[in-house]
Amino acid sequence: MPRREDMIKEEARALWRAVHGDPVPDLTGSELLAMICGGVDVADYDRVQSPFLRPSLITRPEDWRERRGG
């Protein structure tokens, strides 16, 4: 597993413990994030509101504009 994937998995595991408190399922970081955030709409959680991010640093799903209705 690449280093980046290890870091994502550890962050996802920490988030799972903070949100659920249950034992962490044995999944990849991406799978854990999907379970945690599965029902979250991009319009409801848009971390790119930070004044410190430049447009070149923002990564979004391809269909985010349709999800936001814009």
Side-chain angles (χ1 to χ4, degrees):
M1 188 180 317
R3 174 109 173 94
R4 179 178 183 272
E5 292 300 318
D6 290 337
M7 293 176 8
I8 291 170
K9 184 172 184 175
E10 287 309 309
E11 287 295 323
R13 291 173 61 83
L15 180 59
W16 179 274
R17 286 189 294 272
V19 172
H20 294 283
D22 300 333
V24 181
D26 187 25
L27 301 171
T28 67
S30 298
E31 292 169 333
L32 277 173
L33 289 174
M35 285 182 70
I36 295 167
C37 303
V40 176
D41 187 14
V42 173
D44 293 337
Y45 178 74
D46 195 355
R47 69 180 208 138
V48 299
Q49 298 301 320
S50 170
F52 304 106
L53 290 176
R54 293 185 298 267
S56 63
L57 298 173
I58 299 169
T59 304
R60 298 179 185 226
E62 290 182 18
D63 65 343
W64 75 272
R65 284 192 173 95
E66 291 83 28
R67 291 186 194 182
R68 291 185 70 186

